[in-house]
Amino acid sequence: MFNITNWIKKRKKARIRSYMRGYNRLIKEDRTDFIGNLKNKLANKPINGEDLNEIFRCNKKTCFHQFLVYRLINLKFNKALLAAVDNPKKEIYYPLPNLWRSELMNDGFKVPKIYNDLLWLKFNLKWYLIGVLTGIIQIFRILFEGKNKKENDSAFFINLYPGNLLQNSSLNSHNLLEWFALQPEAKKINKIYHSCKAKCNTKLINKIIKYRRTPLPNISFKKVIKFLFWFFFKAITSLFTFENRLLLRELVLENITKLSNPNELCGYYLFHNSGHILRPLWSYVAEKRGSKIIFYFYSTNITSFKVKQKNHIQDFQWQVTSWSKYWVWNQTQVNFLKRNILKSFDLIIKGIIPFTSSTKNFTYKETTQNDSLLIFDVPPTRQYFYAGTAPTVDFYTLKNMVIFLDWIDHLAQFYGLNVFLKTKRKSPLTSKIYINKIVNLKKNKGWVEIDSEIDANYVCSKLQPIASISVPFTSAAIISKKNKIPSAYLDPTKNLDKKFLINNEVSLLLSKEELFQWFSKYVLKNHEKTKN
């Protein structure tokens, strides 16, 4: 008897194999930048035919283009392109507007019209229904939730999760909200809202910390009739305009913001760089009414790699972003924004912005008198996931990360060092071979693994290692340097371009020989001075 479950599994495995073969082919042909170039090409072409710079004059046009880039030029698009790269027919089946389909055809792909028209229609219908549902939810909010209070003295953090809210008793570690409370902008802030529905232990003196499901206020019952008429009219007319169909959810939230009183909006709305492309349409209205819309970075690892003797391709389509105020870590991020952002903006250099914290204590047994070396890695993911991300530079691979660990181990054995490895994250997607590599290293007395959830700043301050070595270009090196620990990035590929200065003034080492030279000439020399 035909087993549909087995058929589905076989189809899924076939799709995975198809895009893995596509990326492996790009590696063999030395053109891993192909996907990145193509994605940037589409992102630079608004489907209304206007120049990318022109759409920034209209908030709705900007939001619409960002919506398409964010919702369509993503991981699923990577997989569709990669599968077509290795397919003899070069056929792509993916929901795209006509202009972008034409661009793909100009690059040699085939885009079957009828099937892709159906996919595009399905995409339109999905987001139209989401917009209708959003409007219905807002009506229920008006009818059943309480009246809003004045919120000028409040700040709202968008898209946080439990790790952002944990409060560590250590004086050397602050969570995000604690950090914000110390900023001059927070002097007049009495309430801090967040959208993370989780138990947390965050308590701040003189500031109320509170969960709130939505950043927008609930409009008064008196305005419900006005919203109902607007929503009914907009829902009907949007059926005949594909821009409004796709943006109906954004339009609903924008209208709620327009109907709210200015003093009902929060004084600050803070967004972070995990969702950099799509700026909500309502945020422009809130900004005009006096709210500060802040985009802050929780990491410096945002610049794509530059390989020697090859052009640099910046991933993640930063050119379409339209935030007006940025909080950054350092001058390197300032240079990044000036190089990649088309729309004018203001910024403030804030130094290190802590994003996650942990209540776990960092403990270890000092069984020897050996000096300690602190290591920050980026665990390689399983091959099927890695291939789907289609990185422009083939860097965070299992092979390269194992070489990184081996070089460190050779250094540690030569100088008799203890090695403390703090992995970037724990994930079911991490390569099992890499996990086993760490297990084998830990069997040696000199290697210790630090829980990935423990705050990097806390580890640096408590361990006080002789040096810190990181995989390029993680933010941990900046944190180590801030703690006055000699810090370096180590490139296991030997291919990164030192002249492309994205290393935040931290040394970039391109070989095992450079690693040993840096350690002997700089680290040991600095260590002797400290002892004396």
Side-chain angles (χ1 to χ4, degrees):
M1 191 171 82
F2 181 70
N3 191 322
I4 191 167
T5 303
N6 289 338
W7 179 80
I8 292 173
K9 287 181 179 179
K10 287 180 180 179
R11 290 281 295 174
K12 183 179 180 180
K13 289 180 179 179
R15 286 195 295 270
I16 291 173
R17 287 194 296 269
S18 67
Y19 69 73
M20 285 179 64
R21 286 195 300 267
Y23 189 66
N24 289 334
R25 179 170 180 172
L26 293 179
I27 293 174
K28 291 177 182 178
E29 296 174 355
D30 192 27
R31 55 189 193 108
T32 53
D33 58 355
F34 174 74
I35 301 294
N37 274 320
L38 187 51
K39 290 166 72 173
N40 280 332
K41 182 179 178 182
L42 298 186
N44 291 337
K45 283 189 174 292
I47 66 171
N48 60 9
E50 290 187 88
D51 181 81
L52 183 57
N53 286 283
E54 292 296 319
I55 67 167
F56 291 123
R57 297 181 181 182
C58 173
N59 295 336
K60 186 179 178 183
K61 288 181 180 180
T62 302
C63 185
F64 180 61
H65 183 60
Q66 291 172 348
F67 174 88
L68 292 176
V69 173
Y70 181 66
R71 299 294 178 188
L72 294 175
I73 304 179
N74 51 28
L75 188 66
K76 290 183 179 179
F77 184 55
N78 291 348
K79 294 175 181 179
L81 285 175
L82 290 171
V85 163
D86 197 56
N87 187 324
K89 295 182 179 180
K90 304 295 182 187
E91 291 182 339
I92 288 181
Y93 298 94
Y94 195 78
L96 290 173
N98 287 327
L99 180 63
W100 287 358
R101 292 189 213 177
S102 297
E103 292 296 328
L104 292 182
M105 288 188 282
N106 291 338
D107 279 284
F109 292 103
K110 295 178 181 178
V111 187
K113 179 174 173 50
I114 295 177
Y115 193 87
N116 283 284
D117 281 344
L118 291 174
L119 292 175
W120 178 240
L121 179 62
K122 178 184 175 183
F123 179 78
N124 275 251
L125 180 61
K126 170 189 171 181
W127 284 102
Y128 173 75
L129 293 176
I130 288 174
V132 171
L133 182 61
T134 302
I136 293 172
I137 291 172
Q138 294 303 317
I139 293 170
F140 276 94
R141 282 190 65 211
I142 296 168
L143 295 176
F144 297 107
E145 292 186 7
K147 186 179 179 181
N148 289 289
K149 301 176 182 179
K150 292 183 179 180
E151 298 289 5
N152 306 78
D153 63 343
S154 68
F156 197 108
F157 280 81
I158 312 290
N159 292 336
L160 297 190
Y161 74 102
N164 306 129
L165 307 174
L166 295 174
Q167 198 165 23
N168 197 321
S169 58
S170 169
L171 297 177
N172 297 314
S173 179
H174 292 294
N175 69 16
L176 180 63
L177 303 189
E178 289 175 305
W179 171 86
F180 174 72
L182 297 174
Q183 303 307 304
E185 292 85 355
K187 286 183 178 180
K188 296 181 180 180
I189 297 298
N190 297 316
K191 292 170 286 187
I192 301 177
Y193 294 109
H194 61 83
S195 56
C196 176
K197 193 174 184 179
K199 292 181 180 180
C200 62
N201 63 344
T202 301
K203 294 180 180 178
L204 299 177
I205 300 174
N206 299 325
K207 297 193 190 298
I208 299 170
I209 309 297
K210 192 174 181 181
Y211 163 79
R212 204 170 87 179
R213 185 171 58 86
T214 173
L216 298 182
N218 184 23
I219 62 176
S220 65
F221 189 76
K222 293 180 181 179
K223 296 178 180 178
V224 67
I225 302 300
K226 183 181 289 189
F227 177 76
L228 281 171
F229 274 109
W230 174 89
F231 177 61
F232 180 78
F233 176 79
K234 186 62 68 174
I236 296 298
T237 57
S238 293
L239 282 169
F240 307 99
T241 310
F242 76 91
E243 184 176 288
N244 285 349
R245 275 199 306 271
L246 294 173
L247 283 187
L248 185 55
R249 180 179 182 275
E250 294 290 333
L251 294 170
V252 166
L253 299 179
E254 179 194 45
N255 189 257
I256 291 292
T257 311
K258 287 179 178 178
L259 291 174
S260 303
N261 295 323
N263 61 8
E264 294 174 341
L265 298 171
C266 294
Y268 281 83
Y269 290 100
L270 297 104
F271 299 78
H272 57 71
N273 55 290
S274 65
H276 65 286
I277 290 178
L278 179 57
R279 178 177 173 179
L281 197 53
W282 63 262
S283 67
Y284 297 98
V285 178
E287 191 169 49
K288 286 181 180 178
R289 294 186 160 208
S291 298
K292 300 291 189 297
I293 308 297
I294 306 296
F295 184 94
Y296 64 96
F297 287 90
Y298 61 73
S299 168
T300 59
N301 192 16
I302 54 176
T303 308
S304 298
F305 293 116
K306 166 72 169 66
V307 175
K308 289 178 285 188
Q309 299 178 343
K310 292 194 74 172
N311 293 329
H312 175 250
I313 307 299
Q314 177 58 43
D315 291 323
F316 310 120
Q317 292 69 59
W318 283 91
Q319 67 271 28
V320 308
T321 56
S322 59
W323 306 94
S324 53
K325 292 182 177 63
Y326 294 89
W327 286 358
V328 301
W329 287 38
N330 51 31
Q331 186 61 41
T332 301
Q333 282 195 326
V334 174
N335 297 338
F336 171 84
L337 292 175
K338 289 180 178 180
R339 190 168 60 244
N340 292 284
I341 307 298
L342 298 178
K343 185 176 171 61
S344 59
F345 57 86
D346 297 320
L347 60 81
I348 299 176
I349 297 177
K350 286 288 186 178
I352 295 171
I353 301 177
F355 194 59
T356 59
S357 58
S358 173
T359 55
K360 297 180 179 179
N361 290 321
F362 170 54
T363 58
Y364 64 97
K365 295 180 180 179
E366 297 185 75
T367 55
T368 69
Q369 297 299 316
N370 292 356
D371 290 319
S372 298
L373 192 63
L374 181 58
I375 306 302
F376 296 95
D377 71 349
V378 175
T381 56
R382 298 185 187 185
Q383 191 176 1
Y384 75 89
F385 182 83
Y386 177 79
T389 62
T392 300
V393 176
D394 185 32
F395 190 88
Y396 293 128
T397 65
L398 172 64
K399 175 185 174 182
N400 292 337
M401 295 306 104
V402 167
I403 291 173
F404 172 81
L405 294 183
D406 284 339
W407 287 357
I408 299 296
D409 191 44
H410 295 162
L411 181 75
Q413 290 185 34
F414 187 84
Y415 286 103
L417 304 170
N418 290 326
V419 180
F420 289 83
L421 173 64
K422 185 181 182 306
T423 56
K424 187 176 179 66
R425 66 180 66 88
K426 283 186 177 180
S427 168
L429 293 172
T430 301
S431 165
K432 290 184 178 180
I433 297 175
Y434 186 76
I435 293 172
N436 290 333
K437 174 70 176 179
I438 294 175
V439 169
N440 290 330
L441 287 170
K442 286 162 60 178
K443 290 178 180 178
N444 301 326
K445 292 182 180 180
W447 280 76
V448 178
E449 186 178 8
I450 302 171
D451 194 309
S452 62
E453 294 182 3
I454 295 178
D455 178 71
N457 185 63
Y458 177 45
V459 171
C460 289
S461 61
K462 189 162 185 179
L463 183 62
Q464 285 298 309
I466 188 174
S468 168
I469 302 173
S470 306
V471 170
F473 287 103
T474 63
S475 306
I478 317 306
I479 296 172
S480 299
K481 188 177 180 182
K482 183 72 174 179
N483 281 273
K484 298 181 180 179
I485 300 168
S487 305
Y489 289 116
L490 179 60
D491 169 24
T493 71
K494 304 182 181 181
N495 290 328
L496 296 186
D497 190 345
K498 281 191 177 186
K499 295 179 181 179
F500 189 65
L501 298 178
I502 61 173
N503 56 333
N504 299 286
E505 300 179 357
V506 174
S507 300
L508 173 60
L509 312 175
L510 298 183
S511 66
K512 187 165 74 170
E513 291 73 25
E514 284 192 20
L515 171 63
F516 274 73
Q517 289 171 11
W518 171 79
F519 191 85
S520 62
K521 291 183 180 180
Y522 181 70
V523 177
L524 292 181
K525 186 177 180 181
N526 179 75
H527 189 52
E528 289 300 322
K529 285 183 179 180
T530 304
K531 281 185 175 181
N532 297 331

